[in-house]
Amino acid sequence: MNKYLIVGLGNVGLEYEMTRHNIGFLIVDQLSQKLGNSFKASNFGQINETSYKGRKTFILKPDTYMNLSGNAVKYWIQKENIKIENILIICDDLSLPFGTLRIKSKGSNAGHNGLKSIESELQTQQYPRLKFGIGNNFAKGKQIDYVLGKWSDEEKKLLVPRIDLSTDAIMNFIFTGITHTMNEFNGK
């Protein structure tokens, strides 16, 4: 049976809730609601063991903090014997306009610390990812404040439908694979 690992990147702790960097957590929270079951504490984070259209799916929110996300991803891939093409990493992306989705089967970490950690632990850039655009509306030298900042009121209004679209893309990935999902959802 094919197994899938869906990983929402973020940082644990109240101070990080509803920050741009935690979009991965928001998306997998919504995905969990759609697919049923709930998260429970486990090794390296919160895990939701569920299934979608007959496919065993593990939804993970690592508790390792962003910079060590690779430890959690590697653990669950090995524990459940999940093929690398059946993982999907969800993270924020500064280079994309707010709410834009970019789904890729591989790529560089583009300076994202969570992706750097995953790349280092897996020793490859060849893994699927869904990048959620957070824009780059910040002054020079203020990137960290922006990424770890809360969503603006304007962004909050637009966030729910964009998160819904993201969860649709993830379910499409689980059912049809990365190529079809890229064709269907990229740029939306």
Side-chain angles (χ1 to χ4, degrees):
M1 175 198 267
N2 268 347
K3 295 179 184 176
Y4 292 82
L5 177 64
I6 309 301
V7 184
L9 298 186
N11 286 311
V12 292
L14 287 174
E15 69 271 31
Y16 297 109
E17 274 184 21
M18 289 306 289
T19 62
R20 293 178 184 93
H21 214 28
N22 270 30
I23 188 63
F25 280 9
L26 288 177
I27 291 170
V28 296
D29 282 343
Q30 179 66 24
L31 179 66
S32 278
Q33 285 182 0
K34 279 187 176 180
L35 296 184
N37 289 353
S38 56
F39 286 100
K40 53 184 188 262
S42 191
N43 293 329
F44 290 100
Q46 299 282 318
I47 195 88
N48 176 351
E49 223 175 293
T50 186
S51 85
Y52 177 65
K53 295 196 176 186
R55 289 151 175 87
K56 183 116 175 121
T57 304
F58 297 87
I59 306 170
L60 174 65
K61 294 188 339 187
D63 64 5
T64 54
Y65 289 96
M66 191 67 78
N67 298 356
L68 297 172
S69 299
N71 295 337
V73 173
K74 184 177 181 181
Y75 172 83
W76 283 97
I77 285 174
Q78 290 176 341
K79 179 182 186 304
E80 294 298 332
N81 195 23
I82 297 170
K83 295 178 196 156
I84 202 149
E85 64 268 19
N86 288 352
I87 68 169
L88 185 66
I89 308 297
I90 299 111
C91 66
D92 58 302
D93 191 318
L94 281 169
S95 66
L96 296 173
F98 170 80
T100 301
L101 304 185
R102 179 158 305 141
I103 300 153
K104 299 174 79 175
S105 60
K106 61 184 179 193
S108 78
N109 60 53
H112 191 287
N113 289 331
L115 297 180
K116 275 185 198 171
S117 173
I118 293 165
E119 187 179 305
S120 170
E121 289 298 324
L122 301 184
Q123 292 293 292
T124 185
Q125 295 180 335
Q126 310 275 331
Y127 59 86
R129 73 271 323 259
L130 183 160
K131 295 179 170 187
F132 186 100
I134 61 169
N136 58 5
N137 189 18
F138 56 88
K140 188 172 172 76
K142 297 290 184 184
Q143 178 175 327
I144 291 171
D145 294 338
Y146 179 77
V147 169
L148 294 178
K150 306 279 186 193
W151 299 101
S152 71
D153 289 340
E154 182 71 21
E155 289 168 330
K156 282 182 194 167
K157 288 178 197 161
L158 303 169
L159 206 51
V160 172
R162 303 312 297 169
I163 289 173
D164 269 343
L165 184 64
S166 301
T167 59
D168 290 347
I170 295 165
M171 292 188 299
N172 191 287
F173 165 77
I174 295 166
F175 191 60
T176 66
I178 190 68
T179 304
H180 182 272
T181 304
M182 290 189 303
N183 293 336
E184 182 82 17
F185 289 90
N186 269 340
K188 285 192 173 177

